[in-house]
Amino acid sequence: MKRTVLTIMMLCLWAFCAVQAQSVCKGDKFFDGATLWEVQAIWGNKTVFFVGTGEIYMSLEVVDAARGEYRLVPSSQADEPSILGAEFGWRVQYIRKDGMNFLAVRKPDGDAMWTMVLTPDNLNDCMGQEAALEAERPSDVTSNALLNRYYLSKIASKKELRLLRNEILARHGYRFQSRDLQEWFGQQPWYRPGNNNAAISLSIIEQTNVQLIKSEEAAR
């Protein structure tokens, strides 16, 4: 039943995303795992102003809307970013690929550290979907559902995060150099190490999830 709920949730999101515009628009809603953000205004085609549930604010400066490039900036309503750990000036990328539409805040090293997904739903529906996601085993969702910081913050240890991050690669047959990873995944009946790590291709969901987990590990 849980798998059915998750599958329906993702299919509905993909169908909705497929018809959306190619840049952030007024009225768009994004969910980050805890807060539903709505674009309230776009000022001078330059600043995108969001209001989140609980009357919190966020602003993005348009760098290149056609390419989905934005930057986190202060707004007149907020002196500090509403995203914990993020800093003004950090790149925000609007990703539209593999059926997914989402914003990714990127650290200076390029890794995504925070995501929010375009959604047609209200907060209650979004929270219900998040609860369904959390009811799944983490390793069951990393390849078909985009994770977020709130989800990852509930994983107890850095060791668990490291195993989860590397499992994404292991399921593609990645051959590990670290002895502990070799031993751990060697015990998994599904693991079939390949001979060419460079030939492995991750989906945009998997790539972003690897980066998010890596960022969460660094933040611990």
Side-chain angles (χ1 to χ4, degrees):
M1 178 62 181
K2 291 177 182 177
R3 175 63 58 197
T4 301
V5 170
L6 179 59
T7 301
I8 292 173
M9 179 180 75
M10 295 306 297
L11 288 175
C12 289
L13 178 59
W14 292 339
F16 172 75
C17 290
V19 299
Q20 292 305 294
Q22 295 302 299
S23 59
V24 176
C25 300
K26 182 178 179 180
D28 281 351
K29 294 186 293 183
F30 294 86
F31 182 64
D32 68 2
T35 300
L36 185 63
W37 299 88
E38 183 171 352
V39 179
Q40 292 288 317
I42 299 178
W43 296 317
N45 293 322
K46 191 64 176 177
T47 304
V48 183
F49 177 62
F50 294 77
V51 176
T53 46
E55 292 300 308
I56 55 179
Y57 309 104
M58 177 175 64
S59 291
L60 303 181
E61 180 182 71
V62 179
V63 176
D64 187 340
R67 299 182 61 184
E69 294 291 339
Y70 299 82
R71 181 166 46 233
L72 187 65
V73 294
S75 67
S76 58
Q77 287 78 11
D79 295 327
E80 300 293 337
S82 298
I83 307 167
L84 295 178
E87 297 182 13
F88 294 134
W90 280 10
R91 178 188 180 199
V92 181
Q93 187 179 21
Y94 189 16
I95 297 174
R96 304 171 298 277
K97 188 176 179 182
D98 296 344
M100 289 294 295
N101 282 31
F102 63 94
L103 291 171
V105 178
R106 297 191 179 280
K107 299 188 296 184
D109 65 6
D111 281 348
M113 54 80 66
W114 186 81
T115 56
M116 56 184 186
V117 179
L118 183 70
T119 178
D121 297 317
N122 59 35
L123 181 62
N124 287 338
D125 290 340
C126 288
M127 294 303 294
Q129 293 165 8
E130 187 71 12
L133 185 67
E134 292 175 4
E136 301 280 345
R137 292 192 316 118
S139 59
D140 288 338
V141 301
T142 51
S143 292
N144 56 33
L146 186 68
L147 304 181
N148 57 63
R149 288 193 67 184
Y150 298 97
Y151 178 92
L152 292 173
S153 69
K154 297 175 184 178
I155 296 177
S157 69
K158 290 183 68 172
K159 179 180 178 180
E160 291 175 273
L161 287 166
R162 178 170 178 260
L163 291 175
L164 183 62
R165 171 170 55 83
N166 283 287
E167 183 168 327
I168 297 174
L169 298 170
R171 290 190 177 277
H172 288 272
Y174 190 91
R175 186 176 290 273
F176 297 98
Q177 299 299 314
S178 299
R179 177 64 63 85
D180 63 329
L181 295 176
Q182 291 174 357
E183 292 177 351
W184 172 262
F185 291 112
Q187 299 171 16
Q188 311 308 315
W190 47 263
Y191 180 54
R192 298 290 185 272
N195 296 315
N196 186 4
N197 287 347
I200 292 175
S201 179
L202 302 182
S203 71
I204 191 64
I205 293 174
E206 291 170 322
Q207 293 174 39
T208 306
N209 284 344
V210 166
Q211 295 172 3
L212 288 169
I213 297 169
K214 183 180 174 183
S215 294
E216 180 65 21
E217 290 176 82
R220 293 293 175 93

